[in-house]
Amino acid sequence: MMKRVKLFPFFSLLLLMVISVIGCSNKSATDPVEGSEASEEVTIDFAIHVANPKDQEPAFYQTVEKFMEENPDITINLQGTDQQEHIRNIKMKSQSNALPDIFWMLPASAQELEEAGQLLDLTPFFDNNPELVEKFHMNMFETYQIDGKQYGMPYQPLVTGFWYNEALFDQYNVDLPETYEDLTEAVKVFEENDVVSIAKGARDPYSVWAFLTMLSRYGYFDKIDVIVEGEESFNNDDFLKFYEKIDELRELGAFPANITTQSYFQAVETFMTGEAALLDAGIWEAKKIEESKLANDVGFWWGPTFDDGVGNQNLSSIVPAAPLVVGKHVEDDQAKYEAVMKFLQFYYSEDGAQIMLDNQVPPMIVFDGEIDEEKHPVFAKVVEQMNRTDWKSQPNQPDLVVSESIANALYDSIYGVMNGIYTPEEALDIVANRISGQ
């Protein structure tokens, strides 16, 4: 069934991100300045956080290809490496003033580059496109802003949770869980039948998205600011309850036996081959699942609620993703500057939105796009969950509101308990000590 849907008005007002590009009749940041050569051939160096953008980030890749097709005078030199290597490369290049023209970066690292004066001020882009600013919701708009200066723009919406294999739940007569108690009962059944309950891969320590949302259900956003300021400790009673839940899941056999040696991508394959009931991941896996034999059996779940949690338990995770930023050096080359601004206009346009929708990625604009529910049942199920008015998104992802160092400690603490390396108390101290600088 082909269905026209308007995406993003269904999000809570705080977390709605809608971007619009104004028409050609209005002056924009891409209008050539007097004396510049509008038809000059330009190459943009664009660095991204995956090794194979064509396969791993098809929506982004196809947007780039379409842009070059429509702008034959502009070539985008796409440079793809895996996330950890990409971040290392960017940091090394920043030390020698050799940053790419445009690149993806983790929020905390992007802010550090901005504070070091190495990023282009994108404020003129908004000044020249006032209708775009009017349609931005402030949490998305201000996420990449310091003292009113815009230094980045969201790459994609970040939607994370658990994918589940409904066929496995049916096969073993297990109800789809809602609460943490439901989840533990499901884990017991899957363990008895040699089925991996939750596919995980500790070699990619950042892959704990659904568990971070679970942490938010223990009051993370009520506490984190005062914790970072040193007024309260990360090792507190509420967070301890969360880590004890992870430890209990480990003891029940929820995680794969090879979790310490397995990568995130291997965990995905475990799920794709029908060997795991749940996968901690995000909407970026929708297209791969659509193309697998599981397409008609997979659903999406925001994760369990907790009877000893803190605050609203119906927390989803629909947040601004890491930003695209532009190297400050771009402003020294007028032709390149105009080409970069033109790309940003296209990326957030309706043409760009439809490419995202075609690749099962929610676009970043108010857009009457189409979803073929028969062809894309998995993506349609995610959109259905995103439409639920009884769930409200957390304001951001917990690891994206702290420094990279603290985020790494957070990953280490969660996987450390999953692996049985740390007790819950030791895991809390890992993060607490990192925050205090010990």
Side-chain angles (χ1 to χ4, degrees):
M1 177 175 65
M2 187 71 76
K3 181 178 180 181
R4 290 190 69 83
V5 292
K6 180 170 285 189
L7 299 178
F8 276 78
F10 47 72
F11 295 172
S12 64
L13 180 62
L14 177 64
L15 291 171
L16 174 66
M17 175 169 55
V18 285
I19 304 174
S20 175
V21 177
I22 63 176
C24 301
S25 60
N26 292 349
K27 179 176 177 57
S28 77
T30 63
D31 291 337
V33 297
E34 186 176 353
S36 69
E37 296 293 333
S39 61
E40 180 180 343
E41 292 188 2
V42 178
T43 296
I44 297 172
D45 291 328
F46 203 138
I48 190 118
H49 62 302
V50 293
N52 188 340
K54 183 176 182 180
D55 293 337
Q56 293 173 275
E57 293 287 330
F60 168 78
Y61 180 84
Q62 291 172 28
T63 304
V64 169
E65 290 293 300
K66 183 66 174 177
F67 173 78
M68 289 194 292
E69 178 184 325
E70 295 188 3
N71 297 272
D73 57 324
I74 301 174
T75 298
I76 295 183
N77 175 28
L78 202 53
Q79 305 163 355
T81 52
D82 70 79
Q83 181 169 318
Q84 290 182 331
E85 182 181 354
H86 168 80
I87 293 170
R88 286 195 298 269
N89 289 345
I90 293 297
K91 290 184 175 181
M92 290 177 60
K93 290 179 178 180
S94 71
Q95 296 172 7
S96 56
N97 295 317
L99 288 173
D101 300 321
I102 312 178
F103 55 98
W104 179 100
M105 199 58 178
L106 289 173
S109 298
Q111 184 171 334
E112 291 172 2
L113 290 173
E114 164 58 22
E115 291 171 348
Q118 297 194 355
L119 299 183
L120 181 71
D121 182 3
L122 296 174
T123 306
F125 181 83
F126 293 97
D127 290 343
N128 290 322
N129 293 278
E131 293 182 19
L132 185 146
V133 177
E134 291 170 4
K135 295 192 176 185
F136 251 103
H137 282 258
M138 287 300 99
N139 75 307
M140 300 289 182
F141 188 64
E142 294 177 347
T143 296
Y144 310 122
Q145 189 180 95
I146 296 179
D147 298 329
K149 177 181 175 182
Q150 198 73 33
Y151 65 89
M153 297 176 69
Y155 170 63
Q156 288 177 358
L158 185 61
V159 181
T160 58
F162 286 110
W163 296 102
Y164 62 85
N165 185 335
E166 190 167 3
L168 282 177
F169 281 86
D170 290 343
Q171 179 180 345
Y172 295 102
N173 197 29
V174 178
D175 292 332
L176 294 174
E178 294 182 5
T179 67
Y180 172 74
E181 288 71 26
D182 295 338
L183 177 59
T184 59
E185 291 305 309
V187 168
K188 292 174 185 176
V189 175
F190 290 130
E191 172 66 8
E192 290 174 359
N193 290 278
D194 296 322
V195 174
V196 174
S197 294
I198 306 174
K200 300 294 298 178
R203 284 178 54 195
D204 293 306
Y206 56 82
S207 59
V208 288
W209 303 281
F211 281 84
L212 290 171
T213 305
M214 290 159 66
L215 175 58
S216 293
R217 297 185 184 119
Y218 281 90
Y220 179 87
F221 283 96
D222 294 332
K223 299 179 174 69
I224 191 59
D225 287 343
V226 293
I227 289 174
V228 171
E229 291 169 2
E231 298 174 11
E232 191 173 327
S233 175
F234 193 87
N235 191 340
N236 60 74
D237 291 341
D238 291 323
F239 290 2
L240 177 61
K241 293 174 184 176
F242 165 67
Y243 280 87
E244 287 175 340
K245 299 294 193 300
I246 301 175
D247 199 38
E248 182 179 13
L249 289 172
R250 177 190 63 80
E251 291 178 343
L252 291 173
F255 309 116
N258 62 342
I259 185 174
T260 59
T261 59
Q262 185 168 252
S263 71
Y264 163 71
F265 298 102
Q266 289 171 316
V268 172
E269 289 307 309
T270 300
F271 182 77
M272 294 295 183
T273 55
E275 301 171 64
L278 296 161
L279 171 68
D280 183 352
I283 200 166
W284 59 85
E285 297 294 354
K287 183 175 176 62
K288 183 181 292 185
I289 295 172
E290 296 279 12
E291 296 171 348
S292 77
K293 64 181 181 180
L294 300 180
N296 294 316
D297 294 322
V298 172
F300 192 77
W301 178 44
W302 297 119
T305 58
F306 300 90
D307 60 10
D308 61 353
V310 177
N312 178 25
Q313 292 297 291
N314 284 4
L315 286 181
S316 59
S317 187
I318 308 163
V319 303
L324 294 178
V325 296
V326 180
K328 186 174 176 59
H329 65 274
V330 167
E331 67 184 0
D332 298 328
D333 184 331
Q334 186 63 41
K336 180 168 288 190
Y337 177 88
E338 291 169 5
V340 167
M341 295 301 110
K342 182 176 285 188
F343 173 80
L344 293 177
Q345 273 195 331
F346 182 81
Y347 191 71
Y348 300 108
S349 71
E350 288 197 359
D351 286 342
Q354 188 60 57
I355 293 172
M356 288 190 177
L357 197 59
D358 290 343
N359 284 277
Q360 294 81 67
V361 176
M364 294 178 287
I365 65 171
V366 171
F367 177 55
D368 288 317
E370 294 182 345
I371 298 177
D372 187 330
E373 293 185 351
E374 292 182 359
K375 185 177 180 181
H376 300 303
V378 175
F379 184 58
K381 288 177 182 177
V382 179
V383 172
E384 180 182 356
Q385 292 303 309
M386 294 166 71
N387 268 320
R388 291 185 59 171
T389 57
D390 56 333
W391 287 73
K392 180 180 179 181
S393 178
Q394 58 183 343
N396 210 324
Q397 193 168 275
D399 59 328
L400 299 182
V401 298
V402 293
S403 70
E404 184 180 343
S405 175
I406 296 173
N408 288 334
L410 193 55
Y411 308 149
D412 183 27
S413 68
I414 292 174
Y415 263 121
V417 176
M418 289 181 182
N419 295 339
I421 297 172
Y422 303 140
T423 65
E425 293 82 359
E426 289 170 339
L428 289 166
D429 284 338
I430 290 293
V431 185
N433 291 341
R434 185 67 56 86
I435 291 172
S436 65
Q438 297 182 25

